[in-house]
Amino acid sequence: MSELAAWAIALLALAVAGHAAWHMLRDVPFSNALFYSVAALEVVLIGLLVTGSIALSRTDGDVDGVLFISYLLTQVVIPPAAVLWGVAEKSRWGTGVVVVAMLTVAVLCARLHGIWEGTVV
Amino acid sequence: MSDADGTSHGLGRMLVAVYGVFAIAATARSVYQLSTKAGEAPFAYGLSALAAIVYIVATWALASDRRRWASATIGFEMIGVLAVGVLTVVDEELFPDQSVWSDFGAGYGYVPLVLPAVGLWWLWSRRRRVLRAGDQG
């Protein structure tokens, strides 16, 4: 997994977090635009799961496979879970849940890269 | 007391989300540490496991509006992060590996230190709201 991909996806997650934070601060209800932002990130994360799994099967590096795959799977689960559970709350804090989720994805992405390099245990 | 005053609504929704993330992260990490290398740092890993349990109970209590449980677990967390924070500074040999609460939660961006403070304030503000509603009859 290249460093560039890891940071690009982490930045994308931060951008979506910013988009959600804008909704939260302005007290704007969960919008279609935000839905598409999260959906776009989800597509990228599913792509990461697929390419990451393939890369893991081919690498000679000393990567902790179980940890790596569990991070990839967690990342895929977080956005839909956050949207479903967050939207059930009809106040600005519903999008706050999405902010928390997107920040979590960004952190996971950074750690995922660490696991790939063998620097995070 | 109306449902809207519960601890899992409004700002509480976001708080439950953060607690949920920490509950899952701490549990997963603790299971991983204990199952692969329990002997290396038994005290730190045991502490991680304890912290994980506390986060799970706190998440459940906040989500289901069980205030006694929420106060007890979040209070324990506050004391835990402060005590372990001091211990890690005073006696580094006790912690050959990191736990969630080491160095006041620095490894997790100090969120473990800020979270119980926000949690206790949230419970306190909910309680005042209930008392005021009670006064109005």
Side-chain angles (χ1 to χ4, degrees):
Chain A
M1 195 180 102
S2 76
E3 193 159 356
L4 185 68
W7 292 117
I9 297 169
L11 276 178
L12 179 65
L14 285 179
V16 181
H19 193 184
W22 179 86
H23 282 72
M24 182 183 87
L25 296 173
R26 288 292 198 82
D27 209 358
V28 176
F30 194 91
S31 66
N32 283 343
L34 183 56
F35 178 81
Y36 291 130
S37 293
V38 177
L41 179 67
E42 179 69 7
V43 170
V44 171
L45 290 175
I46 291 170
L48 183 64
L49 172 63
V50 175
T51 54
S53 305
I54 295 170
L56 181 68
S57 67
R58 288 182 181 166
T59 183
D60 301 325
D62 188 17
V63 180
D64 191 329
V66 176
L67 201 60
F68 190 71
I69 295 293
S70 67
Y71 265 67
L72 287 173
L73 285 173
T74 308
Q75 283 189 319
V76 169
V77 172
I78 287 176
V83 169
L84 287 175
W85 195 68
V87 168
E89 165 74 27
K90 299 289 180 208
S91 73
R92 62 168 67 191
W93 305 113
T95 44
V97 171
V98 181
V99 175
V100 171
M102 294 304 115
L103 291 178
T104 307
V105 170
V107 171
L108 286 178
C109 219
R111 288 183 65 95
L112 187 69
H113 182 249
I115 294 166
W116 183 256
E117 300 282 314
T119 52
V120 171
V121 186
Chain B
M1 185 177 65
S2 73
D3 191 42
D5 288 333
T7 55
S8 71
H9 289 276
L11 174 66
R13 195 77 169 186
M14 203 170 158
L15 206 56
V16 174
V18 181
Y19 265 100
V21 167
F22 266 79
I24 294 167
T27 307
R29 192 174 191 211
S30 158
V31 169
Y32 177 78
Q33 286 177 332
L34 288 173
S35 61
T36 56
K37 46 182 182 177
E40 284 176 30
F43 188 71
Y45 295 162
L47 199 69
S48 289
L50 177 66
I53 294 165
V54 173
Y55 282 122
I56 292 170
V57 178
T59 307
W60 163 78
L62 279 174
S64 59
D65 202 20
R66 287 179 167 81
R67 291 168 196 227
R68 261 168 214 266
W69 279 98
S71 306
T73 47
I74 297 172
F76 182 83
E77 237 182 88
M78 188 85 245
I79 295 165
V81 73
L82 291 176
V84 173
V86 170
L87 274 179
T88 43
V89 174
V90 175
D91 185 1
E92 288 178 9
E93 286 180 12
L94 206 53
F95 296 89
D97 197 1
Q98 291 281 308
S99 79
V100 192
W101 289 339
S102 298
D103 300 318
F104 301 103
Y108 291 79
Y110 292 104
V111 175
L113 181 62
V114 177
L115 200 54
V118 176
L120 288 174
W121 166 81
W122 172 247
L123 284 171
W124 176 76
S125 72
R126 292 289 90 182
R127 211 186 115 206
R128 285 202 352 161
R129 194 152 152 180
V130 171
L131 288 177
R132 244 186 296 146
D135 287 344
Q136 286 160 5

